[in-house]
Amino acid sequence: MAVIVSSEGVVYAGTSNYGVYKSDDSGATWTQVSNRLPSGNIYDLAVTPDQKIFCMIKTRGIYRSENEGASWELVNEDAYSSMMQCFAVSP
């Protein structure tokens, strides 16, 4: 599981085989934002100041969403072939 706080009250959580969830109220309620993301174990998440979400999925690669999880784009498929289990992004 990966968890990241992106801004006041906004929290993202990546789960094992259940996708990415977002909370706008500090975790009181959650909404799945990964319905177009491949299934798999989510190793890590990162969110940039302009709210781009990056998600690393085991055996799949690193994906990016520029619309709060409505759609996802594969940005690095080589990441899963290494021993990498976490990453960071620079705005």
Side-chain angles (χ1 to χ4, degrees):
M1 176 178 234
V3 177
I4 190 156
V5 178
S6 71
S7 61
E8 180 113 8
V10 179
V11 181
Y12 291 93
T15 64
S16 177
N17 293 318
Y18 295 104
V20 177
Y21 288 80
K22 177 184 178 185
S23 173
D24 291 316
D25 54 13
S26 299
T29 60
W30 294 89
T31 302
Q32 188 178 39
V33 295
S34 57
N35 54 351
R36 291 185 173 90
L37 195 60
S39 64
N41 293 334
I42 296 176
Y43 273 14
D44 204 5
L45 293 171
V47 181
T48 63
D50 59 351
Q51 298 304 301
K52 291 177 185 163
I53 310 166
F54 290 83
C55 174
M56 176 190 274
I57 303 174
K58 181 180 179 180
T59 73
R60 303 286 188 182
I62 297 175
Y63 289 78
R64 175 182 61 216
S65 175
E66 296 185 5
N67 52 17
E68 297 182 341
S71 63
W72 296 86
E73 173 186 8
L74 178 65
V75 294
N76 187 330
E77 63 184 331
D78 296 327
Y80 76 84
S81 64
S82 70
M83 297 300 291
M84 188 165 73
Q85 293 188 9
C86 63
F87 68 99
V89 294
S90 175

